[in-house]
Amino acid sequence: QVQLVESGGGLVQPGGSLRLSCTASGFTLRAYAINWFRQAPGKEREGVSCISNGDGSPYYADSVRGRFTISRDNAQNTVYLQMNSLTPEDTAVYYCAADGILVNPCTVADTGSYAYWGQGTQVTVSS
């Protein structure tokens, strides 16, 4: 079965960290550019980060640059989003999406060209 599955969300206090995983089954993730998006209640979906399927370069939205790190583990067929120094403004459902078009550099903007989406994982930052 071809699918993307996110995991690693949860409840964390402000200033804390979480690592989200985006794991593929049924296809090879390294051939795809991967985007992370998030959507908070009542807000539009926001691009957070991406990693190219060309040279593997990452890109970040201004709101998370310096706090979030995206990376690949090809052996695990997984892309990670390490999130540090979390604030309540980071509370949202986080989604990953896979784009099979060669994207180098990638963009956090929603291009609408994703072959696969995950189901989302909830991140709640609260004391």
Side-chain angles (χ1 to χ4, degrees), residues 31-34 53 97-103 113-116:
Y32 290 76
I34 301 300
N53 56 345
D99 188 343
I101 298 173
L102 180 61
V103 183
S113 61
Y114 307 103
Y116 307 107

Side-chain angles (χ1 to χ4, degrees), residues 18-78:
L18 284 174
R19 188 179 75 163
L20 305 184
S21 300
C22 173
T23 301
S25 59
F27 66 101
T28 302
L29 204 56
R30 67 175 180 265
Y32 290 76
I34 301 300
N35 280 60
W36 282 97
F37 296 93
R38 65 186 181 186
Q39 188 163 22
K43 295 188 177 180
E44 293 188 355
R45 188 166 61 200
E46 173 191 16
V48 172
S49 181
C50 64
I51 187 165
S52 164
N53 56 345
D55 61 6
S57 56
Y59 195 80
Y60 302 95
D62 289 343
S63 58
V64 306
R65 187 174 294 116
R67 300 188 298 123
F68 290 12
T69 303
I70 190 170
S71 62
R72 289 186 186 269
D73 184 336
N74 292 331
Q76 298 297 322
N77 214 25
T78 297

Side-chain angles (χ1 to χ4, degrees), residues 114-125:
Y114 307 103
Y116 307 107
W117 284 87
Q119 82 290 350
T121 186
Q122 175 70 47
V123 171
T124 302
V125 185

